Amino acid sequence: MRHAPTEKKTAETAVRGLLFAVALVLPVLLGVFFQAFSLVSTASFGAMFALLIAPRHGITARIAGIGIGGLLVVLAAALGVALHGRHNLVLVLLFLLSWLAALPRPDQAYLGLIVKYVACSVLLTSFGISASLVMALAFLGGIALGICLSLVGMAFETDSPEPEPLDEFKAFMHGATNGRLFGVAVPVTVLASTLAARYFSFSDPAWVGLTVLFVMHSDGATELFRVWARTLGTLAGVLVSGVILYTVGNPLLIGLGIGLFAFAIPFVVKDHYILFSFVITCAVLLLIDISMFQRGGDFPLLRWRLIDTVIACAWVLASNLTLRLIRWLRHRKEPAPAPKA
């Protein structure tokens, strides 16, 4: 009897893993069947985004929470397209969105993920990543798939203490946020790394800023050990993806690999920083490769992906070391507590 709750929790996680696998692999299969490879990653990212942010508080809250998040990401992409070439405006907007993404606390996962995806959507499209009405529809189609899978998963969910999105928003508006120092450090690091990548003509400057945003803004991101864990997991994911893409050319086999990594996401999404960074990086890079299949895949650019990731992680580590130094100096300046009478 003592093992029943653990077994139930494991079964629930396994079901979520299957849902993630279906969410990412089904668009791949449709892409192969219809030879519409460029839409694969967009739809899969939409479905994955839906499952990651899905509130666990009933049908109405779930549909509304996922739907609002998906629409915000699409609108952000449209804004990025409209601002393409207006780099100064893009940088100001990027700074503001990165600042907002840094404010939600770890227990405000819904808000944090939505703002992070919105910032990335603006960043990618404003730097010239192809975006169109068809891709927006593909992303929304992925959102719809994610909503359906999330509703199916409700039958297997146990009780969850996670707050509702509205509760997160109320707490956020009443000052429940990360510290102001971290809130400034994240946008400064994102902005500086993106500018440096653009100045040195990196193949994709947006990838550097995007990596900084996801690696730095995480649970306990100001703790050096966890930053190292996220960094090592991300780098390992880039290397393993490179090996897979070098040895496998069949999109269906790559899709199988995506399914295996997707299945692992619910098992490692909490408290397993290295493994989560590893599996999510592998899944994302393999999806990107399939979306570029008709142009030879992503392997020719994978060297840049690795360089971009290394540079971005170096920026994150430098930023967090700076934060630790500032906190240490502040602590030294604090007056010593008065002796007890």
Side-chain angles (χ1 to χ4, degrees), residues 28-29 32-33 35 37 244-258 286 289-290 293 296-297:
V28 172
L29 297 178
V32 173
F33 182 80
Q35 295 293 293
F37 294 102
I244 294 174
L245 296 180
Y246 182 77
T247 56
V248 179
N250 188 322
L252 291 177
L253 292 179
I254 296 175
L256 177 62
I258 292 171
L286 295 182
D289 183 80
I290 288 186
F293 185 76

Side-chain angles (χ1 to χ4, degrees), residues 149-168:
L149 293 173
S150 180
L151 295 178
V152 170
M154 288 180 64
F156 303 91
E157 289 178 357
T158 57
D159 293 336
S160 172
E162 297 177 6
E164 292 188 18
L166 186 58
D167 294 332
E168 288 186 22

Side-chain angles (χ1 to χ4, degrees), residues 224-279:
L224 192 57
F225 169 77
R226 294 183 178 183
V227 176
W228 272 110
R230 302 280 296 194
T231 302
L232 292 175
T234 303
L235 293 178
V238 175
L239 292 172
V240 170
S241 299
V243 173
I244 294 174
L245 296 180
Y246 182 77
T247 56
V248 179
N250 188 322
L252 291 177
L253 292 179
I254 296 175
L256 177 62
I258 292 171
L260 293 175
F261 289 120
F263 177 77
I265 290 176
F267 290 92
V268 299
V269 70
K270 293 183 178 179
D271 301 324
H272 299 282
Y273 297 97
I274 293 180
L275 292 177
F276 176 70
S277 299
F278 170 72
V279 298

Side-chain angles (χ1 to χ4, degrees), residues 38 44 59 74 76 105 119 127 136 138-139 141 147 169 180 191-192 215 224 230 251 331:
S38 62
S44 293
I59 296 176
V74 171
R105 301 185 314 189
F127 271 84
F139 182 81
I147 290 175
F169 182 74
R180 287 177 293 179
L191 193 62
V215 171
L224 192 57
R230 302 280 296 194
H331 181 71

